[in-house]
Amino acid sequence: MSTQTARQHITLSTLNKIRAAGQKFACLTAYDACFTSLMNEASVEVILVGDSLGMVLQGHDSTLPVTMADMVYHTQCVKRANSSSFIMTDMPFMSYSTDKDALENAAALMRAGAGMVKLEGGAWLESSTRLLAERGIPVCVHMGLTPQSINRIGGYLVQGRDPVQAENMVREAVLLQEAGASILLLECVPTALATRITETLNIPVIGIGAGPHTTGQVLVMHDLLGISPIKPKFVKNFLPESDNGIAGAIKAYADAVKNGSFPAPEHCFD
Ligand code: KIV
């Protein structure tokens, strides 16, 4: 008989219950089997197969070159090892620019093992979000700083500081929730705005550089281990806090998210 305690398999309903209880959940990127097992061990609730793999694994200077084949392959790698976390997979650049593409490509990612797909954008995603949700594919919409639009945005800049832009973000978040989004992810948004959106919606909100009041937090794993060449303000290296190498750093991150000590004020934007 196994000496390990069986962990609960996390579903969307678990994440909604965590939100309803006023608690927090941890999300981290993983792209392979080995790190997936460590995240399961550390009780990381959500694994994001992020298109950040284009930068941290493939060495590109943005996420734009990442393909559907890349995302299917890495989702399969994560799925094979996963025993308990909820798997969310990014739809890569231009894979959801029409409703038809969104449906076909999201279906391919779900077949590869995703439990949810993530799309970057705002109001223009309304019809594809509705289409996917109605056909049984859970959708996370990524708003704020959306790295696939980096050429239009003009840099990795905080979004929503301008009052008009902030009002638009709240309105679009509500619209996408009504269209069927099950999770919203906010990147590089002032704490006050992210808090307002979290309190306005009735779905979980995951933040990265969005302050301490969102339901969940996400980091790119390489950032958490301090091995990324770029160190944005919202990143913390958890390796120095670990007495058990990488496994300990992942656990320290998951614990810090759940007890509310991460992100600290120095990781947040006004
Ligand atoms: O691709 C990714 O890792 C992401 C996170 C930065 C949220 O989308």
Coordinates of all heavy atoms in Angstrom, one line a residue, residues 48 88 90 96 117-126 129 139-149 152-153 156-161 164-179 181-190 193-194 197-198 200-201 203-211 214 218 234 269:
L48 N -0.1 25.8 -15.3 CA -0.3 26.5 -16.6 C 0.8 26.1 -17.6 O 2.0 26.3 -17.3 CB -0.2 28.0 -16.4 CG -0.1 28.9 -17.7 CD1 -1.4 28.7 -18.5 CD2 0.1 30.4 -17.3
M88 N -4.2 24.1 -17.2 CA -4.6 25.1 -18.1 C -3.5 25.3 -19.2 O -2.4 25.3 -18.9 CB -4.8 26.4 -17.3 CG -5.3 27.6 -18.1 SD -5.0 29.2 -17.2 CE -6.0 29.0 -15.8
D90 N -2.2 27.5 -22.6 CA -2.3 28.7 -23.5 C -2.6 28.3 -24.9 O -1.9 27.5 -25.5 CB -0.9 29.5 -23.4 CG -0.9 30.5 -22.4 OD1 -2.0 31.0 -21.9 OD2 0.2 30.9 -22.0
Y96 N -6.4 31.6 -32.3 CA -7.9 31.8 -32.0 C -8.3 33.1 -32.6 O -9.2 33.8 -32.1 CB -8.1 31.8 -30.5 CG -7.1 32.7 -29.7 CD1 -7.5 33.9 -29.2 CD2 -5.9 32.2 -29.3 CE1 -6.6 34.7 -28.5 CE2 -5.0 33.0 -28.6 CZ -5.4 34.2 -28.2 OH -4.5 35.0 -27.4
V117 N -8.5 26.2 -21.5 CA -7.6 26.9 -22.4 C -7.6 28.4 -22.0 O -8.6 28.9 -21.4 CB -8.0 26.8 -23.9 CG1 -7.8 25.3 -24.4 CG2 -9.4 27.2 -24.2
K118 N -6.5 29.0 -22.3 CA -6.4 30.4 -21.9 C -6.1 31.2 -23.2 O -5.3 30.9 -24.0 CB -5.2 30.6 -20.9 CG -4.9 32.1 -20.6 CD -4.1 32.3 -19.3 CE -2.7 32.1 -19.4 NZ -2.0 33.1 -20.3
L119 N -6.9 32.3 -23.4 CA -6.8 33.2 -24.5 C -6.5 34.6 -24.0 O -7.0 35.0 -23.0 CB -8.2 33.2 -25.3 CG -8.7 32.0 -26.0 CD1 -9.2 30.9 -25.0 CD2 -9.9 32.4 -26.9
E120 N -5.7 35.3 -24.8 CA -5.4 36.7 -24.4 C -6.2 37.7 -25.2 O -6.3 37.6 -26.4 CB -3.9 37.0 -24.7 CG -2.9 36.1 -23.9 CD -1.5 36.5 -24.2 OE1 -1.2 37.5 -24.9 OE2 -0.6 35.7 -23.7
G121 N -6.8 38.7 -24.4 CA -7.5 39.7 -25.2 C -8.6 40.3 -24.3 O -8.6 40.2 -23.1
G122 N -9.5 41.0 -25.0 CA -10.6 41.7 -24.3 C -11.9 41.4 -24.9 O -12.2 40.2 -25.3
A123 N -12.7 42.5 -25.2 CA -14.1 42.3 -25.6 C -14.2 41.5 -26.9 O -15.2 40.8 -27.2 CB -14.7 43.7 -25.8
W124 N -13.1 41.6 -27.8 CA -13.2 40.9 -29.1 C -13.3 39.4 -28.9 O -13.6 38.6 -29.8 CB -12.0 41.3 -30.0 CG -10.7 40.8 -29.6 CD1 -9.8 41.4 -28.7 CD2 -10.1 39.5 -30.0 NE1 -8.7 40.6 -28.6 CE2 -8.8 39.5 -29.3 CE3 -10.4 38.5 -30.8 CZ2 -7.9 38.4 -29.5 CZ3 -9.5 37.4 -31.0 CH2 -8.3 37.4 -30.3
L125 N -13.0 38.9 -27.7 CA -13.0 37.4 -27.4 C -14.4 37.0 -27.0 O -14.6 35.8 -26.8 CB -12.1 37.1 -26.3 CG -10.6 37.2 -26.6 CD1 -9.8 36.9 -25.3 CD2 -10.2 36.2 -27.7
E126 N -15.4 37.9 -27.0 CA -16.7 37.5 -26.5 C -17.3 36.3 -27.3 O -17.8 35.3 -26.7 CB -17.7 38.7 -26.6 CG -19.0 38.4 -26.0 CD -20.0 39.5 -26.2 OE1 -19.7 40.5 -27.0 OE2 -21.1 39.4 -25.7
T129 N -15.3 33.0 -26.7 CA -15.5 32.5 -25.4 C -16.8 31.8 -25.2 O -16.9 30.7 -24.7 CB -15.4 33.7 -24.4 OG1 -14.1 34.3 -24.5 CG2 -15.6 33.3 -22.9
V139 N -12.9 28.2 -20.4 CA -12.0 29.3 -20.9 C -11.5 30.2 -19.8 O -12.3 30.6 -18.9 CB -12.9 30.2 -21.9 CG1 -12.1 31.5 -22.3 CG2 -13.3 29.4 -23.1
C140 N -10.2 30.5 -19.8 CA -9.6 31.6 -19.0 C -9.3 32.7 -19.9 O -8.6 32.5 -20.9 CB -8.4 31.0 -18.3 SG -7.5 32.3 -17.4
V141 N -9.7 33.9 -19.6 CA -9.3 35.1 -20.4 C -8.2 35.8 -19.7 O -8.3 36.1 -18.5 CB -10.5 36.0 -20.7 CG1 -10.0 37.2 -21.5 CG2 -11.6 35.3 -21.5
H142 N -7.1 36.1 -20.4 CA -5.9 36.8 -19.9 C -6.0 38.2 -20.3 O -6.0 38.5 -21.5 CB -4.7 36.1 -20.5 CG -3.4 36.6 -20.1 ND1 -2.3 35.8 -20.1 CD2 -2.9 37.8 -19.7 CE1 -1.2 36.5 -19.7 NE2 -1.6 37.7 -19.5
M143 N -6.1 39.1 -19.3 CA -6.3 40.6 -19.6 C -5.2 41.4 -19.0 O -4.4 40.8 -18.2 CB -7.6 41.1 -19.2 CG -8.8 40.5 -19.9 SD -10.4 41.1 -19.3 CE -10.3 42.8 -19.7
G144 N -5.2 42.7 -19.2 CA -4.1 43.5 -18.7 C -2.9 43.5 -19.7 O -3.1 43.7 -20.9
L145 N -1.7 43.2 -19.2 CA -0.6 43.0 -20.1 C -0.7 41.7 -20.8 O -0.7 40.6 -20.1 CB 0.7 43.1 -19.3 CG 2.0 42.9 -20.1 CD1 2.1 43.8 -21.3 CD2 3.2 43.0 -19.3
T146 N -0.9 41.7 -22.1 CA -1.1 40.4 -22.9 C 0.1 40.3 -23.8 O 0.2 41.0 -24.8 CB -2.4 40.5 -23.7 OG1 -2.5 41.8 -24.3 CG2 -3.6 40.4 -22.7
P147 N 1.1 39.4 -23.4 CA 2.3 39.3 -24.1 C 2.2 39.0 -25.6 O 3.1 39.4 -26.4 CB 3.1 38.2 -23.4 CG 2.5 38.2 -22.0 CD 1.0 38.5 -22.2
Q148 N 1.2 38.4 -26.1 CA 1.0 38.2 -27.5 C 0.8 39.5 -28.3 O 0.9 39.5 -29.5 CB -0.1 37.1 -27.8 CG 0.2 35.7 -27.3 CD -0.9 34.8 -27.4 OE1 -1.9 35.0 -28.1 NE2 -0.8 33.6 -26.8
S149 N 0.4 40.5 -27.6 CA 0.1 41.8 -28.2 C 1.3 42.8 -27.9 O 1.1 44.0 -28.0 CB -1.2 42.4 -27.7 OG -2.2 41.5 -27.9
R152 N 1.9 45.7 -30.3 CA 0.9 46.8 -30.3 C 1.0 47.6 -29.0 O 1.0 48.8 -29.0 CB -0.5 46.2 -30.4 CG -1.6 47.3 -30.3 CD -3.0 46.8 -30.4 NE -3.3 45.8 -29.4 CZ -3.5 46.0 -28.1 NH1 -3.5 47.3 -27.7 NH2 -3.8 45.0 -27.3
I153 N 1.3 46.9 -27.8 CA 1.4 47.6 -26.5 C 2.6 48.5 -26.5 O 2.6 49.6 -25.9 CB 1.3 46.6 -25.4 CG1 0.0 45.9 -25.3 CG2 1.6 47.3 -24.0 CD1 -0.1 44.7 -24.4
Y156 N 6.6 45.7 -22.1 CA 6.0 45.0 -21.0 C 5.6 46.0 -19.9 O 6.3 46.2 -18.9 CB 7.0 43.9 -20.5 CG 7.2 42.8 -21.5 CD1 8.2 42.9 -22.4 CD2 6.3 41.8 -21.6 CE1 8.3 41.9 -23.4 CE2 6.4 40.8 -22.5 CZ 7.5 40.8 -23.4 OH 7.6 39.8 -24.4
L157 N 4.5 46.7 -20.2 CA 4.1 47.9 -19.4 C 2.9 47.6 -18.5 O 2.0 46.8 -19.0 CB 3.8 49.1 -20.3 CG 4.9 49.4 -21.3 CD1 4.4 50.4 -22.4 CD2 6.1 50.0 -20.6
V158 N 2.8 48.2 -17.4 CA 1.6 48.1 -16.5 C 0.4 48.6 -17.3 O 0.5 49.7 -17.9 CB 1.8 48.9 -15.2 CG1 0.5 48.8 -14.3 CG2 3.0 48.4 -14.5
Q159 N -0.7 47.9 -17.2 CA -2.0 48.3 -17.9 C -3.1 48.7 -17.0 O -3.2 48.1 -15.9 CB -2.5 47.1 -18.7 CG -1.5 46.6 -19.8 CD -1.2 47.6 -20.9 OE1 -2.1 48.0 -21.6 NE2 0.1 48.0 -21.0
G160 N -3.9 49.7 -17.3 CA -5.0 50.1 -16.5 C -4.7 51.2 -15.6 O -5.6 51.5 -14.7
R161 N -3.6 51.9 -15.7 CA -3.4 53.1 -14.8 C -4.2 54.3 -15.3 O -4.7 55.1 -14.5 CB -1.9 53.5 -14.9 CG -1.1 52.6 -14.0 CD 0.3 53.1 -13.8 NE 1.1 52.4 -12.8 CZ 2.3 52.0 -12.9 NH1 3.0 52.2 -14.0 NH2 2.9 51.4 -11.9
V164 N -9.7 55.8 -18.0 CA -10.6 55.3 -19.1 C -10.2 53.8 -19.4 O -11.1 53.0 -19.5 CB -10.4 56.2 -20.3 CG1 -11.2 55.6 -21.5 CG2 -10.8 57.6 -20.0
Q165 N -8.9 53.5 -19.4 CA -8.5 52.2 -19.7 C -9.0 51.2 -18.5 O -9.4 50.1 -18.8 CB -7.0 52.1 -19.8 CG -6.5 50.9 -20.5 CD -5.0 50.7 -20.4 OE1 -4.3 51.2 -19.5 NE2 -4.4 50.0 -21.3
A166 N -8.9 51.7 -17.3 CA -9.3 50.9 -16.2 C -10.8 50.6 -16.2 O -11.2 49.5 -16.0 CB -9.0 51.7 -14.9
E167 N -11.7 51.6 -16.6 CA -13.1 51.4 -16.7 C -13.4 50.4 -17.8 O -14.2 49.5 -17.6 CB -13.9 52.7 -17.0 CG -14.0 53.6 -15.8 CD -14.5 53.0 -14.5 OE1 -15.5 52.3 -14.6 OE2 -13.9 53.2 -13.5
N168 N -12.7 50.5 -18.9 CA -12.8 49.5 -20.0 C -12.5 48.1 -19.6 O -13.2 47.2 -19.9 CB -11.9 49.9 -21.2 CG -12.6 51.0 -22.0 OD1 -13.8 51.2 -22.0 ND2 -11.7 51.6 -22.8
M169 N -11.4 48.0 -18.8 CA -11.0 46.7 -18.3 C -12.1 46.0 -17.4 O -12.4 44.8 -17.6 CB -9.7 46.8 -17.6 CG -8.8 45.5 -17.8 SD -7.3 45.6 -16.8 CE -6.4 46.7 -17.7
V170 N -12.7 46.8 -16.6 CA -13.8 46.3 -15.7 C -14.9 45.8 -16.6 O -15.5 44.7 -16.4 CB -14.2 47.3 -14.7 CG1 -15.4 46.8 -13.8 CG2 -13.1 47.8 -13.8
R171 N -15.3 46.7 -17.5 CA -16.5 46.4 -18.4 C -16.2 45.2 -19.2 O -17.1 44.3 -19.3 CB -16.7 47.6 -19.3 CG -18.0 47.6 -20.1 CD -18.1 48.9 -20.9 NE -16.9 49.3 -21.6 CZ -16.5 48.7 -22.7 NH1 -17.1 47.7 -23.3 NH2 -15.4 49.1 -23.3
E172 N -15.0 45.1 -19.7 CA -14.7 43.9 -20.6 C -14.6 42.6 -19.8 O -15.0 41.5 -20.2 CB -13.4 44.1 -21.4 CG -13.6 45.3 -22.3 CD -12.4 45.4 -23.3 OE1 -11.6 44.5 -23.5 OE2 -12.3 46.5 -23.9
A173 N -14.1 42.7 -18.5 CA -14.1 41.5 -17.7 C -15.5 41.0 -17.4 O -15.7 39.8 -17.5 CB -13.4 41.9 -16.4
V174 N -16.4 41.9 -17.1 CA -17.8 41.5 -16.8 C -18.4 40.9 -18.1 O -19.1 39.8 -18.0 CB -18.6 42.7 -16.4 CG1 -20.1 42.4 -16.3 CG2 -18.1 43.2 -15.0
L175 N -18.2 41.5 -19.2 CA -18.7 41.0 -20.5 C -18.2 39.6 -20.8 O -19.0 38.7 -21.2 CB -18.2 41.9 -21.6 CG -18.6 41.6 -23.1 CD1 -20.0 42.2 -23.3 CD2 -17.6 42.2 -24.1
L176 N -16.9 39.3 -20.5 CA -16.4 38.0 -20.8 C -16.8 37.0 -19.8 O -17.0 35.8 -20.1 CB -14.8 38.1 -20.9 CG -14.4 38.9 -22.1 CD1 -13.0 39.4 -22.0 CD2 -14.6 38.0 -23.4
Q177 N -17.0 37.4 -18.6 CA -17.7 36.5 -17.6 C -19.0 36.1 -18.1 O -19.4 34.9 -18.0 CB -17.7 37.1 -16.2 CG -18.5 36.3 -15.2 CD -18.6 37.0 -13.9 OE1 -17.8 36.9 -13.0 NE2 -19.7 37.8 -13.7
E178 N -19.8 37.1 -18.5 CA -21.2 36.8 -19.0 C -21.2 35.9 -20.2 O -22.1 35.1 -20.5 CB -21.9 38.1 -19.2 CG -22.4 38.7 -17.9 CD -22.9 40.2 -18.1 OE1 -22.9 40.7 -19.2 OE2 -23.2 40.7 -17.0
A179 N -20.1 36.0 -21.0 CA -20.0 35.2 -22.2 C -19.6 33.7 -21.9 O -19.7 32.8 -22.7 CB -18.9 35.8 -23.2
A181 N -16.7 32.9 -19.6 CA -15.3 32.6 -19.1 C -15.4 32.1 -17.7 O -16.2 32.6 -16.9 CB -14.5 33.9 -19.1
S182 N -14.6 31.1 -17.3 CA -14.6 30.5 -16.0 C -13.6 31.1 -15.1 O -13.7 30.9 -13.9 CB -14.4 29.0 -16.1 OG -15.5 28.4 -16.9
I183 N -12.5 31.6 -15.7 CA -11.4 32.2 -14.9 C -11.0 33.5 -15.7 O -11.0 33.5 -16.9 CB -10.2 31.3 -14.6 CG1 -10.7 30.1 -13.8 CG2 -9.1 32.0 -14.0 CD1 -9.5 29.1 -13.4
L184 N -10.6 34.5 -14.9 CA -9.9 35.7 -15.5 C -8.5 35.7 -15.0 O -8.3 35.4 -13.8 CB -10.7 36.9 -15.1 CG -10.2 38.2 -15.9 CD1 -10.9 38.2 -17.2 CD2 -10.5 39.4 -15.1
L185 N -7.5 36.0 -15.9 CA -6.2 36.2 -15.4 C -5.8 37.6 -15.7 O -6.0 38.1 -16.8 CB -5.2 35.2 -16.1 CG -3.8 35.1 -15.6 CD1 -3.2 33.7 -15.7 CD2 -2.9 36.1 -16.3
L186 N -5.2 38.3 -14.7 CA -4.8 39.7 -14.9 C -3.3 39.8 -14.7 O -2.7 39.4 -13.7 CB -5.5 40.6 -13.8 CG -7.0 40.8 -13.9 CD1 -7.5 41.6 -12.7 CD2 -7.3 41.5 -15.2
E187 N -2.6 40.4 -15.7 CA -1.2 40.6 -15.6 C -0.8 42.0 -15.6 O -1.3 42.8 -16.5 CB -0.5 39.9 -16.8 CG 1.0 40.0 -16.9 CD 1.7 39.1 -17.8 OE1 1.1 38.2 -18.4 OE2 2.9 39.3 -18.0
C188 N 0.1 42.4 -14.7 CA 0.6 43.8 -14.6 C -0.5 44.8 -14.6 O -0.6 45.6 -15.5 CB 1.6 44.1 -15.7 SG 3.1 43.2 -15.5
V189 N -1.3 44.8 -13.5 CA -2.4 45.7 -13.4 C -2.3 46.3 -12.0 O -1.9 45.6 -11.0 CB -3.8 44.9 -13.5 CG1 -4.9 45.7 -13.1 CG2 -3.9 44.4 -14.9
P190 N -2.6 47.6 -11.8 CA -2.5 48.2 -10.4 C -3.3 47.4 -9.4 O -4.4 46.9 -9.8 CB -3.0 49.6 -10.6 CG -2.8 49.9 -12.0 CD -3.0 48.6 -12.8
L193 N -7.1 48.3 -9.1 CA -7.9 47.8 -10.2 C -8.2 46.3 -10.1 O -9.3 45.8 -10.3 CB -7.3 48.3 -11.5 CG -8.0 47.8 -12.8 CD1 -9.5 48.3 -12.8 CD2 -7.3 48.3 -14.0
A194 N -7.1 45.6 -9.9 CA -7.2 44.1 -9.8 C -8.2 43.7 -8.7 O -9.0 42.8 -8.8 CB -5.9 43.5 -9.7
I197 N -11.8 44.4 -9.8 CA -12.3 43.4 -10.8 C -12.6 42.1 -10.0 O -13.6 41.4 -10.2 CB -11.3 43.2 -11.9 CG1 -11.2 44.5 -12.8 CG2 -11.6 42.0 -12.8 CD1 -10.1 44.5 -13.9
T198 N -11.7 41.7 -9.1 CA -11.9 40.5 -8.3 C -13.2 40.5 -7.6 O -13.9 39.5 -7.5 CB -10.7 40.2 -7.4 OG1 -9.5 40.2 -8.2 CG2 -10.8 38.9 -6.6
T200 N -15.8 42.4 -8.2 CA -16.9 42.6 -9.1 C -17.4 41.2 -9.7 O -18.6 41.0 -9.9 CB -16.6 43.6 -10.3 OG1 -16.2 44.8 -9.7 CG2 -17.7 43.8 -11.2
L201 N -16.4 40.4 -10.1 CA -16.7 39.1 -10.8 C -17.1 38.1 -9.8 O -16.8 38.1 -8.6 CB -15.5 38.6 -11.6 CG -15.0 39.6 -12.7 CD1 -13.9 38.8 -13.5 CD2 -16.1 40.1 -13.6
I203 N -16.3 34.8 -10.6 CA -15.4 33.7 -11.0 C -14.0 34.0 -10.4 O -13.7 35.1 -10.0 CB -15.3 33.6 -12.5 CG1 -14.8 34.9 -13.2 CG2 -16.6 33.1 -13.1 CD1 -14.6 34.8 -14.7
P204 N -13.2 33.0 -10.2 CA -11.8 33.2 -9.7 C -11.0 34.1 -10.6 O -11.1 34.0 -11.8 CB -11.2 31.8 -9.6 CG -12.4 30.8 -9.6 CD -13.4 31.5 -10.5
V205 N -10.2 35.0 -10.0 CA -9.3 35.8 -10.8 C -7.9 35.4 -10.3 O -7.6 35.3 -9.1 CB -9.5 37.3 -10.5 CG1 -8.5 38.2 -11.2 CG2 -10.9 37.7 -10.9
I206 N -7.0 35.2 -11.3 CA -5.6 34.8 -11.0 C -4.8 36.1 -11.4 O -5.0 36.7 -12.4 CB -5.1 33.6 -11.9 CG1 -6.0 32.4 -11.6 CG2 -3.7 33.3 -11.6 CD1 -5.6 31.2 -12.4
G207 N -3.8 36.4 -10.5 CA -3.0 37.6 -10.8 C -1.6 37.3 -10.9 O -1.0 36.3 -10.4
I208 N -0.9 38.1 -11.7 CA 0.6 38.1 -11.8 C 0.9 39.6 -11.9 O 0.6 40.3 -12.9 CB 1.1 37.2 -13.0 CG1 2.6 37.4 -13.1 CG2 0.4 37.5 -14.3 CD1 3.3 36.3 -14.0
G209 N 1.6 40.1 -10.9 CA 1.8 41.6 -10.9 C 0.5 42.3 -10.8 O 0.3 43.4 -11.3
A210 N -0.5 41.7 -10.0 CA -1.8 42.3 -9.9 C -2.2 42.5 -8.4 O -3.4 42.6 -8.1 CB -2.8 41.5 -10.7
G211 N -1.3 42.4 -7.5 CA -1.5 42.6 -6.1 C -2.0 41.4 -5.4 O -2.1 40.3 -6.0
T214 N -6.2 39.0 -5.5 CA -6.9 38.1 -6.5 C -7.0 36.7 -5.8 O -6.3 36.4 -4.8 CB -6.0 38.0 -7.7 OG1 -4.7 37.6 -7.4 CG2 -6.0 39.4 -8.5
V218 N -0.1 33.5 -10.1 CA 0.7 32.7 -11.0 C 2.1 33.3 -11.2 O 2.2 34.5 -11.1 CB 0.0 32.5 -12.4 CG1 -0.3 33.8 -13.1 CG2 0.7 31.6 -13.3
F234 N 7.3 42.0 -10.2 CA 6.4 41.1 -9.5 C 6.9 39.7 -9.2 O 6.3 38.8 -8.7 CB 5.1 40.9 -10.4 CG 5.3 40.5 -11.8 CD1 5.6 39.2 -12.1 CD2 5.2 41.4 -12.8 CE1 5.8 38.8 -13.4 CE2 5.4 41.0 -14.1 CZ 5.7 39.7 -14.4
F269 N 2.0 46.8 -8.1 CA 2.0 48.1 -8.8 C 0.9 49.0 -8.3 O -0.2 48.5 -8.0 CB 1.8 47.9 -10.3 CG 2.9 47.1 -11.0 CD1 2.6 45.8 -11.3 CD2 4.1 47.6 -11.2 CE1 3.6 45.0 -11.9 CE2 5.1 46.8 -11.8 CZ 4.8 45.5 -12.2

